[in-house]
Amino acid sequence: MKVGFVGAGRMGAPMVRRLSDAGHVVTVLGRTPEKLSAAEELGATPARSLAELARDADAVVVCVFTDEQVRQICLADDLLGAMRPGSILILHTTGSPRTAHAIAERAGAHGVDVLDAPVSGGPHDIAAGTVTLFVGGDDDAVQRVQPLLSSYGDPVLHVGPLGFGQRIKLINNTLFAAQIGIVAEAVRLAGRLGVDESTLLTALPHGSGTSRALDSIARVGSAAGFIGAVGEFIGKDVAVARATVTDLGSDLGLLDDVVDAALPPENVR
């Protein structure tokens, strides 16, 4: 497939590498000499504008950091206006389902399908081809880009119509944040009981209280150290989850208090 790619950074770069290695023809947005050089090193062709990147693409992938960046890029006429009718816009950024719908409404006028496909995992999972994709959108569109998504995603889970990829991902990230918060509280309990944190983190992964969050914290060696490393990303996603459920007329329930224990102080309500 011919793929345009926006956001070849921490998460996007290994995606571009795997797409290129799988035989897809990839064009990457890069407006500086450094970005242009980086694109070529990943096996891609650099493009200096969204219009140039999108013009011949079967699909355009957007993998940037924030929901607002997605809106700025995907609601720009120079992107959607340049995409071919029948092509597909894939949104990997975790954000609001309403953003995906707003983009789809604009994209439909150009004959472009939109999929929201947030990822669960990190750059190492993408590099290994084992990152999880929660995909929302039309079944036919999902099938058409399956060769693209499976270049770096496994499993690729079609979870419902447009916007449901984001809903599942926000629930997933809220649950992960809550699990981190629970481990942080367990460490504090251990301190009150006179148990050393390193001893606790060595023992608990072998018990029934283990989780992926606990395993990740144990590898780092401390709850505070792990929160310090991932707090920016967790804080962003919890903020999006809170805003989204409020916008949809709901709330996080009991998870609302637990997730605060997983956040850096500046992100706590």
Side-chain angles (χ1 to χ4, degrees):
M1 296 183 71
K2 293 181 179 179
V3 183
F5 202 99
V6 183
R10 175 176 174 269
M11 299 287 281
M15 291 180 182
V16 172
R17 171 65 70 189
R18 288 197 63 91
L19 284 167
S20 298
D21 289 347
H24 299 286
V25 179
V26 187
T27 302
V28 173
L29 183 66
R31 295 190 174 106
T32 67
E34 293 78 12
K35 296 283 188 181
L36 295 171
S37 177
E40 292 173 344
E41 290 176 4
L42 292 169
T45 301
R48 293 184 178 275
S49 70
L50 290 171
E52 179 185 351
L53 173 143
R55 190 170 296 117
D56 297 320
D58 300 306
V60 172
V61 179
V62 177
C63 186
V64 292
F65 189 60
T66 69
D67 197 52
E68 180 57 32
Q69 289 172 330
V70 173
R71 295 181 71 91
Q72 290 174 355
I73 291 166
C74 297
L75 293 176
D77 289 333
D78 54 343
L79 175 62
L80 293 176
M83 292 183 69
R84 296 187 295 102
S87 60
I88 299 172
L89 179 62
I90 302 168
L91 311 176
H92 280 324
T93 304
T94 299
S96 170
R98 293 194 186 279
T99 295
H101 283 288
I103 293 168
E105 184 176 354
R106 182 82 62 85
H110 299 278
V112 174
D113 288 312
V114 177
L115 300 176
D116 63 312
V119 308
S120 181
H124 58 290
D125 300 303
I126 297 168
T130 58
V131 74
T132 298
L133 301 179
F134 301 121
V135 186
D138 179 73
D139 184 65
D140 177 68
V142 174
Q143 292 301 316
R144 280 188 283 143
V145 295
Q146 185 70 27
L148 183 165
L149 297 178
S150 61
S151 297
Y152 46 82
D154 184 17
V156 178
L157 303 172
H158 186 195
V159 297
L162 184 69
F164 274 66
Q166 297 293 5
R167 293 172 193 238
I168 295 291
K169 177 63 189 307
L170 292 171
I171 294 169
N172 174 82
N173 284 17
T174 302
L175 181 59
F176 184 61
Q179 291 170 344
I180 295 170
I182 288 171
V183 175
E185 286 298 317
V187 168
R188 284 188 273 274
L189 173 61
R192 295 195 296 272
L193 297 178
V195 177
D196 180 73
E197 181 178 12
S198 62
T199 301
L200 182 76
L201 294 179
T202 299
L204 286 185
H206 300 283
S208 59
T210 193
S211 65
R212 182 172 293 186
L214 175 57
D215 288 341
S216 298
I217 291 169
R219 284 195 294 271
V220 172
S222 77
F226 184 77
I227 291 170
V230 304
E232 180 183 8
F233 303 99
I234 295 294
K236 174 184 76 74
D237 289 344
V238 168
V240 171
R242 281 177 166 151
T244 298
V245 297
T246 299
D247 189 40
L248 297 176
S250 188
D251 56 53
L252 298 182
L254 291 175
L255 294 173
D256 215 3
D257 292 327
V258 183
V259 296
D260 277 343
L263 303 178
E266 63 270 19
N267 293 116
V268 175
R269 292 171 301 166

